[in-house]
Amino acid sequence: NLAADPIVAERFRREAIAVAQLSHPNIVTVYDAVDDDVAGTHRQAVVMQLINGKSLRTLLDEQKKLSPDLTMHIGSYVANALDETAEKLDSMLDRSRAVAADASHHLRTPLAAMRLRLETIADTAGDQETSAQADAALLEVDRLTRRVDQVLAIATAETAADHSGKYGTESPSRASIVGMPPTLSGRV
């Protein structure tokens, strides 16, 4: 049962939150993700916009084969939605990297100050126990400093990467997409 797996449950929640941030005419709007225990069973669900009309699956089941024109129209709408999704994800990743880099810089100064203070305590301690505790705290400060340096290095490396043109194609403009069948209600 995948719903009982805490890793899968967390991934489900995060994906629902990410999708809820998308706003595009060709993407169904996600309003909420719910997580509840009903009659002893753990359940998760996504609350989504209700779309009237046929699904692509239903259309394919009915027609068995789509005309080239209809396939092009549907493909254009899907490509436009995927392009918008990619742009939004890039923006979300850029913000995440900026937060990681900013947090790293803000953590380095207090860690350096703590290191200096602990070194002073270790050097001037009058007893062996205080000196040993200061040395143990210094090891923890060193571990935290390495972790902050790793986060900063990842954020810096990812931010420096060139994201321009990485998808290789331009999405079709809205003006070039005409005649979407009303049975699909403008959404795929």
Side-chain angles (χ1 to χ4, degrees):
N1 183 2
L2 290 176
D5 184 340
I7 294 171
V8 173
E10 178 60 18
R11 183 179 214 173
F12 178 85
R13 187 187 70 77
R14 286 184 181 181
E15 287 178 11
I17 289 168
V19 172
Q21 295 181 40
L22 298 173
S23 177
H24 189 273
N26 300 334
I27 300 174
V28 175
T29 303
V30 172
Y31 296 116
D32 198 4
V34 293
D35 188 8
D36 201 3
D37 288 317
V38 177
T41 303
H42 184 77
R43 296 183 183 185
Q44 292 183 305
V46 176
V47 181
M48 305 168 90
Q49 176 184 16
L50 174 63
I51 302 295
N52 292 318
K54 295 179 182 179
S55 70
L56 182 56
R57 174 77 272 151
T58 301
L59 189 62
L60 286 168
D61 288 344
E62 290 174 357
Q63 296 186 12
K64 304 298 181 211
K65 183 177 178 183
L66 301 180
S67 71
D69 286 343
L70 181 56
T71 301
M72 291 287 289
H73 286 297
I74 293 171
S76 295
Y77 277 88
V78 170
N80 194 295
L82 290 173
D83 186 54
E84 177 73 19
T85 301
E87 287 178 19
K88 183 69 172 184
L89 290 174
D90 271 350
S91 174
M92 291 166 59
L93 285 171
D94 287 344
R95 285 193 310 268
S96 177
R97 289 181 195 118
V99 167
D102 191 45
S104 295
H105 286 296
H106 286 289
L107 288 170
R108 285 177 142 204
T109 301
L111 284 170
M114 186 181 296
R115 170 168 255 306
L116 290 172
R117 181 170 257 177
L118 287 168
E119 286 173 346
T120 301
I121 291 170
D123 291 344
T124 61
D127 62 275
Q128 189 76 10
E129 184 179 337
T130 302
S131 182
Q133 288 177 349
D135 286 339
L138 278 168
L139 291 173
E140 183 62 16
V141 168
D142 288 343
R143 186 189 69 78
L144 290 171
T145 301
R146 284 191 305 275
R147 178 65 64 183
V148 168
D149 289 344
Q150 289 170 346
V151 169
L152 181 59
I154 290 168
T156 302
E158 289 178 350
T159 301
D162 179 22
H163 296 293
S164 63
K166 71 179 182 181
Y167 302 109
T169 59
E170 297 254 342
S171 66
S173 69
R174 286 185 155 277
S176 70
I177 304 171
V178 293
M180 185 67 177
T183 57
L184 294 177
S185 301
R187 292 188 180 245
V188 175

